[in-house]
Amino acid sequence: YNTLKFGEVKPLVISEYGGRDHALENRPYSPARDWVFLKAVSPMMMQFMERPNSILKTVPFIMSKAVWSETPHNWRLMRQAQEPEVYEQNNYDTPYVFTEMIKFYELWSDVKGTRVDVWSGNHDVLAQAYVTDNKAYLILSNLSFDKQNIDLALIGVNENDLINIKVKHLHAIDKVPQLEVNEFVSLENFTIDSEATAIIEYDFSSELIIDQTSDELKYFANTYYQAIIENQAINFEINDVKT
């Protein structure tokens, strides 16, 4: 619509995003409720990262203490230490501890660099990759309810020796978020849990040189907003596609 209206895609600010479960809202705090958010926020962010030309800024919807709420606020980085047994509205002085939301920041804390090409042969697994200095970060997010075994294949590292591999795996056991961190000397494949996100950090002996660019082209149909009529197909024309 931006293209049809303005002749270009206007950059977007996504000021609130994440996950929610209405059945768990307005109830005492639980790690399972945090998992509903955590399993959604990373794959959503990865889809924003897939569109750097049209996304200006994104902000996941995570408050700090949020004690103005009569019931425990769902999307908090910190909770009162005595929860879920006791929750006191407007109490900033009681001891606080992190909720499971902290695991989102712990998972992504190391990722930085230049976005590089990555392909996923599994349509249920999102993939992104970033490179900085001698490190490469491969990010995988599983949209499936089932575990997925991923064959890992690095292209373009040439004769650069691989020193270490660190894997952060954010998943859930009995709906309780778990952030597992493991290190490997080599890793040919990885099994990612259902609805989980994993970040694989490759540490090489020398700097990874990026001396090429990748041009990404998106083609739009000449119509979009059309009425839906029962049992009638809706046709779109996408013209002048360079293959």
Side-chain angles (χ1 to χ4, degrees), residues 9-209:
V9 177
K10 297 287 188 179
L12 300 175
V13 173
I14 312 297
S15 59
E16 298 179 5
Y17 69 95
R20 66 188 303 185
D21 184 341
H22 292 281
L24 297 177
E25 294 179 16
N26 300 320
R27 292 188 178 187
Y29 169 79
S30 70
R33 190 171 65 188
D34 281 359
W35 174 241
V36 172
F37 181 93
L38 289 171
K39 68 182 180 180
V41 66
S42 285
M44 292 178 74
M45 186 170 72
M46 290 176 68
Q47 292 177 81
F48 301 143
M49 295 161 71
E50 184 74 18
R51 298 158 173 81
N53 61 311
S54 57
I55 301 293
L56 186 65
K57 184 181 290 291
T58 71
V59 183
F61 188 69
I62 303 176
M63 304 290 101
S64 54
K65 296 180 179 179
V67 296
W68 62 79
S69 177
E70 293 182 5
T71 57
H73 198 271
N74 290 236
W75 304 276
R76 295 174 298 166
L77 187 62
M78 304 185 75
R79 64 175 174 86
Q80 297 172 13
Q82 68 269 21
E83 293 184 61
E85 288 75 16
V86 178
Y87 168 76
E88 299 177 357
Q89 185 181 8
N90 295 324
N91 190 341
Y92 286 94
D93 298 324
T94 187
Y96 277 81
V97 296
F98 284 119
T99 65
E100 301 295 333
M101 298 290 194
I102 190 64
K103 289 182 170 61
F104 168 70
Y105 298 100
E106 292 173 337
L107 172 68
W108 286 91
S109 61
D110 299 323
V111 177
K112 58 183 177 180
T114 300
R115 179 170 170 255
V116 295
D117 280 337
V118 61
W119 296 271
S120 173
N122 185 332
H123 292 293
D124 288 326
V125 178
L126 302 179
Q128 290 286 342
Y130 288 80
V131 166
T132 181
D133 298 326
N134 64 323
K135 292 183 180 293
Y137 301 93
L138 173 62
I139 307 138
L140 304 171
S141 194
N142 183 12
L143 306 180
S144 172
F145 295 130
D146 300 315
K147 296 181 179 181
Q148 302 289 322
N149 185 263
I150 308 298
D151 287 328
L152 305 173
L154 299 178
I155 302 173
V157 295
N158 300 323
E159 302 302 319
N160 207 333
D161 293 327
L162 186 58
I163 298 175
N164 187 61
I165 303 172
K166 181 172 73 173
V167 178
K168 294 182 179 180
H169 187 200
L170 179 57
H171 62 120
I173 298 177
D174 297 328
K175 298 183 179 180
V176 177
Q178 313 286 328
L179 181 59
E180 296 180 354
V181 182
N182 293 291
E183 296 194 8
F184 305 88
V185 176
S186 62
L187 191 65
E188 295 183 357
N189 54 69
F190 179 77
T191 299
I192 185 171
D193 209 351
S194 64
E195 300 183 290
T197 298
I199 297 181
I200 303 174
E201 176 185 317
Y202 295 92
D203 193 357
F204 292 90
S205 60
S206 58
E207 182 180 0
L208 296 168
I209 304 300

